[in-house]
Amino acid sequence: MEKTIKIKENVFYVGVNDPQRRLFDELIPLPDGTTYNAYIVKGSKKTALIDTADPPKSDVLLSNLKNAGVAKIDYIISHHGEQDHSGSIPVLLSLYPDSRVLTNDKCKAELIDMLCIDEDRVTVIKDGEEVSLGDKTLRFIFTPWVHWPETFITYLPEDKILFTCDFLGSHFAFDAGKGLFVENNEDIYLPAKRYYAEIMSPFRTVIRKNLGKIKDIEVDILAPSHGPLYRGKDFIESCYNDWSSDAVKNKLLLAYVSMHGSTGAIARYFIEALKKRGIEVAAFDLADADVGELAMELIESATAVIGSPTVLAGPHPKAVYAAYLVKALRPKTRYLSVIGSYSWGGKMVEQLVEMLGTVGAEIIEPVMVKGYPVQEDFSALDDLAEKIKLKHQNLGLL
Ligand code: FEO
């Protein structure tokens, strides 16, 4: 059971801590667990619940509502159809028979499709619309694609609280009873960056637009749906401005896998060749890489290189996975290449280059090695490192 925490007068945190969860979407590592933040706003006439919790944690949310003395809910604000925030709506509609879901038309369709919610219990709101709770007002701001098409956020002007759902959040479990707020920005920087990298980075162009929508809003408390709350928005807003910008750094991401040591030897030589030329390298052995860390490096690396041996005439499946991630995360990386090895032939490079080609970055001529690398292969790797150095110099990074 969580504690129910007052945030401001008649505004309460009723969210759920999930420190043991280690995977999201059966894909994204959660080294710090997560939370499903939900909030009660009690106006003089109406009461609203802002988002809910993942279904396996519905009981904790219901207990928190009970502890907060919430006998009646008029509105359930559903910012986002994904089940970690919407999944407890069916049970809430059942337990609070007078409640209605307030959401936009896109989210309404998702809730009906995914949760079989009775559409008669849903009221559709519009961008910029305000709903009065009496002495408190909910103002809805549509922020599509952070990170689904329906996503929106809510501003409570009387208390200057901005409820941002996934936007600007972090997968970071915390004990609400010990404190709701980020106390040291450096403690949340990496979890917030990881969250941005894994979930938000494919949408950085629309993120910039959505940042513009909150730029001039006065915010005392920024209340996301994952991770601790912020006093003010300056820190996380400036992080997002940085991460979503077009700027890249003098960094190279190398994601490689080796079966019998050849690609490993190629990768090690290449790393040193790059370092000698002043390029910072973040190298990941895909045998046990944390894809979240890989995604974080992709946010700002000017260049990314995939290293693979040849397996069954194509790339190693872990290299395919890395290339797919690069493609899916749509990074601002300017240059891409492939290094690797083969024994008797195959289409490893062609297949990886074809996958990476959709990223829109320039492909620098890959280096393929037959068997274990020898001097002429090391020279080819030096040439590749030199080309990358020149590219980085042309970008003014070196
Ligand atoms: Fe936290 Fe997109 O759900």
Side-chain angles (χ1 to χ4, degrees), residues 45-311:
K45 293 184 179 162
K46 305 273 188 188
T47 296
L49 171 66
I50 312 274
D51 289 317
T52 71
D54 210 28
K57 296 290 184 184
S58 292
D59 56 337
V60 184
L61 173 65
L62 295 175
S63 166
N64 291 347
L65 291 170
K66 191 174 166 194
N67 290 343
V70 179
K72 185 167 181 284
I73 294 173
D74 297 285
Y75 304 127
I76 300 168
I77 312 303
S78 182
H79 285 132
H80 175 29
E82 196 164 15
Q83 289 89 334
D84 52 327
H85 311 294
S86 68
S88 297
I89 291 177
V91 68
L92 286 160
L93 287 174
S94 165
L95 290 172
Y96 293 86
D98 297 327
S99 62
R100 297 191 62 73
V101 175
L102 266 54
T103 192
N104 62 22
D105 54 352
K106 285 190 175 129
C107 192
K108 176 183 172 181
E110 291 175 0
L111 298 179
I112 292 169
D113 287 345
M114 295 188 297
L115 300 172
C116 302
I117 285 172
D118 178 357
E119 68 173 309
D120 292 341
R121 299 287 300 272
V122 182
T123 298
V124 171
I125 52 90
K126 301 232 177 307
D127 190 15
E129 186 173 335
E130 293 188 346
V131 166
S132 174
L133 305 178
D135 58 351
K136 293 185 189 289
T137 311
L138 302 178
R139 183 182 303 155
F140 307 117
I141 304 163
F142 285 16
T143 51
W145 292 109
V146 290
H147 59 123
W148 282 15
E150 81 293 3
T151 47
F152 68 99
I153 62 178
T154 296
Y155 185 54
L156 177 52
E158 291 83 1
D159 296 299
K160 299 185 175 62
I161 302 176
L162 189 61
F163 300 99
T164 59
C165 198
D166 277 350
F167 191 32
L168 309 169
S170 56
H171 282 310
F172 193 83
F174 63 93
D175 180 348
K178 292 181 179 166
L180 286 174
F181 291 89
V182 172
E183 297 300 340
N184 297 299
N185 290 337
E186 54 268 34
D187 293 343
I188 202 67
Y189 179 79
L190 285 178
K193 186 176 184 182
R194 173 186 278 267
Y195 183 90
Y196 170 87
E198 293 167 338
I199 296 164
M200 298 291 164
S201 65
F203 309 103
R204 70 185 183 88
T205 308
V206 289
I207 280 171
R208 291 208 297 258
K209 283 186 192 157
N210 288 323
L211 287 169
K213 292 183 184 178
I214 67 166
K215 184 168 171 282
D216 297 323
I217 297 178
E218 204 176 337
V219 176
D220 281 353
I221 293 173
L222 189 142
S225 62
H226 294 293
L229 287 67
Y230 293 90
R231 296 185 200 282
K233 64 180 169 70
D234 292 356
F235 170 73
I236 192 67
E237 188 180 38
S238 96
C239 289
Y240 267 60
N241 278 327
D242 177 27
W243 299 329
S244 65
S245 76
D246 289 332
V248 288
K249 294 185 178 164
N250 177 34
K251 294 178 85 173
L252 182 143
L253 165 74
L254 173 61
Y256 71 96
V257 58
S258 186
M259 290 165 64
H260 299 293
S262 181
T263 303
I266 293 164
R268 285 192 296 279
Y269 186 89
F270 186 49
I271 290 166
E272 290 310 310
L274 292 160
K275 286 182 178 171
K276 273 185 208 160
R277 289 165 175 81
I279 297 167
E280 189 181 337
V281 182
F284 295 88
D285 183 339
L286 294 167
D288 58 2
D290 175 333
V291 294
E293 289 183 10
L294 196 149
M296 277 197 277
E297 293 299 334
L298 264 184
I299 291 178
E300 54 201 12
S301 294
T303 302
V305 175
I306 307 280
S308 176
T310 301
V311 184

